[in-house]
Amino acid sequence: MSKLFGTDGIRGIANIELTTSLALKVGKSCAKVLKDENKKLHILIGCDTRISSSMLVSAIASGLAANGCDVTNVGVVPTPCVSYLVKNSIFDAGIMVSASHNSFEFNGIKIFDKNGLKLPDLIEEEIEKETYKDETPLIKYEEIGIIKDDFTLKDKYISYLINTGNKIDNLKVVFDLANGSSSVTAPEIFNKVLKNPVFLSSKPNGININDNCGSTHLDNLINYVKKNKFDLGIAFDGDADRCLFVDEDGNIIDGDYILAIVALNLKKKNKLKNNTLVGTILSNLGLIKFCNENNINFSATKVGDRYVLEEMLLKDDVNKLIELGMEDFQEVSNIKDNKIYLTVDNKNIIIELNKDNKIINVYNKSNNHLYYSQDEDKDLYYYKDDSLKKAHNKSEDIIKPDESAVGKSKTLLEGSWTVGSNIEEGIYNLHALSGNGNLYIKTDKNRLKVNILMGVGNQYNTKNNVYLKDYNNVTLEKGDIITIGKDMKIKFNAIK
C-alpha cells in the first residue's frame, strides 16, 4: 500500500494518480473519520484554478455528502482563505484542492480541522486506512448531506486582510499572481491598500497556472521591476499560501530573508512572540547566525509548514502552563495513571506527573510533540520524540577537555546528549564518521546555538548550506544539548 498523504496532503497527476474515484473515497473516508456523533458536520471546500480542480471538488463533495456531511463549495480561493473561513465561520473542517507550485497536470487535496489547521499525522493515517478499504459503508438515504455553492464567502477573507494594515500611497508594487488562486483575491485587496498596483499573470485558463510565472519562475517579475522602476515585486505560488519578493534592483528576497526582516521588526516593537523565529532543518545557516547576532531564539522543525505552525502553537501551550501553573486550569477532563488530561485553547494537552506530583512531561497527543523537564521547577526542554528524551539520561563516559584529554576523543551516535553529563564544557573539533545531516547544539533554555550540516567526505556546497566533514572550535557550555541526526556518527575531539 503506497502512502497517500505526504508533507502537504495528497498530491498526484490528475486522472492518473489522483482520480475522481480516489477523490470520492477520500471524501467518504473524511466524513467517517471526522464524524461527530452529536451533530451533522458541515465541510467547506475550495480549489485553485487548475482544469481538474472543479472535477475533483465534485468528487470529494459527493463522497462527503454520501456519508452525511453538508458541503459548501467556496470556489477558487487561496489556501489560507479556506483555513481562515473554517476557523472563523460555522464549518467543522475544510478541504483545499490544489497542487500549490506544481504545473497544471498535478493536483492535490489538503484537509484542515475545525481550527483551520492541517490534520495531525494520526488523523491522516486513519483517513488513509479507511480510503484503502474495499468500501466505506454508506449511511441511510435520509441522512445524506446537502451540497451547495457560496462564492461570496471569500469576501469575508478579503475584508479581514484589508483591515489588517494601513493604506500605502508611496510604494510602487507589482504582483505576479501565477495565474492561480490569488487572481480572484489579490486585485480586490491591493487596489484598496496600494496606489496603482500592477498585476501580472492574472488571467487563469485552467492550464497556465505556474506556467513560466509565479514564485517558481521569477524572471518576468524581475525584468518588469527593473524596466519599470518599481520599488517591490511580489510573486505568489499557485494556491497563494507562499510568496517571494524582488527588490528595486531585481534581487530575489527569499523566505529566509523575509523571516529575518519580519522577526527583527517585531523584536524591535517587542512583539516577537517568545522571542523566537521558527524555521525548518533546511533553513539557511545565515538565518541562524542572524538570529544569534540579534538575540533571537531559533527553532528548527521538519520540512513542512504544518510542522512550523505546530511548533509555534505548542510553544505557546507550554509557556501558558509555566505562566499559569497547574492550579489555574479549570478544564481538566480526566486524571489517570499519573496523567492529567486537559484542554488549552481547544487543544488537548496531557501532563505527566511523577510520584511526587511534579511535572515530568507535557505533550499534545494529536500532534505527537513532547516536552521534557529534568528539573522540578517546570523548566521545560524540548525534544522531537520520546527516544531523544530517553537518550538525555543515558549514562556515558565523560570527555574532559583538560590538558590530559587534549587529543582524546569520543564518538556519539544519533540521539541527544547533555554537556555536563555526557560531555564536559570546553572547545571541540567535530568529525563526521558516517551519515549526512544536521547536528544541533542548543542551550538549556532551548535556544539554538549552532546548526551544523555534517557530511562524510570532503566539504561541499549545496544550494543553501555547506556540509562539513570537520567543524572546528565548537564551544560547549554546561547545560547545552547536542542532538545528532538519524544514522549519524560524530567524533568529538577535545581541543582545550
Side-chain angles (χ1 to χ4, degrees), residues 283-399:
S283 295
N284 195 295
L285 293 177
L287 178 63
I288 300 169
K289 182 179 178 181
F290 169 87
C291 289
N292 289 335
E293 291 173 348
N294 289 277
N295 195 30
I296 296 172
N297 300 327
F298 181 83
S299 182
T301 73
K302 293 190 292 184
V303 176
D305 58 359
R306 58 179 295 181
Y307 301 112
V308 172
L309 180 57
E310 286 173 3
E311 174 81 351
M312 295 167 70
L313 294 175
L314 285 167
K315 280 185 180 299
D316 284 346
D317 290 340
V318 172
N319 285 340
K320 192 171 294 186
L321 287 167
I322 295 170
E323 290 169 5
L324 298 182
M326 288 287 298
E327 67 279 0
D328 293 324
F329 287 99
Q330 302 300 319
E331 297 180 80
V332 176
S333 58
N334 192 21
I335 301 177
K336 183 179 180 182
D337 297 329
N338 279 24
K339 293 181 181 178
I340 298 179
Y341 299 80
L342 50 83
T343 302
V344 182
D345 292 342
N346 295 318
K347 293 186 285 292
N348 295 322
I349 302 297
I350 300 174
I351 300 174
E352 188 175 353
L353 308 176
N354 64 15
K355 62 182 181 180
D356 298 318
N357 289 327
K358 299 293 184 181
I359 297 176
I360 55 174
N361 284 316
V362 181
Y363 56 99
N364 183 319
K365 185 176 182 181
S366 62
N367 285 308
N368 201 30
H369 281 242
L370 181 70
Y371 293 79
Y372 169 69
S373 172
Q374 71 172 31
D375 298 323
E376 295 185 345
D377 58 359
K378 302 180 185 178
D379 194 7
L380 302 175
Y381 303 109
Y382 169 77
Y383 292 87
K384 291 289 183 187
D385 55 43
D386 191 57
S387 64
L388 295 185
K389 182 203 74 174
K390 292 176 181 176
H392 186 102
N393 284 332
K394 282 184 178 178
S395 176
E396 299 288 339
D397 294 333
I398 294 175
I399 305 175

Side-chain angles (χ1 to χ4, degrees), residues 93 270 293 476:
N270 200 30
E293 291 173 348
L476 301 180

Side-chain angles (χ1 to χ4, degrees), residues 81 88 172 305 367 385 437 478:
C81 178
N88 294 280
K172 291 179 65 177
D305 58 359
N367 285 308
D385 55 43
K478 187 173 182 179

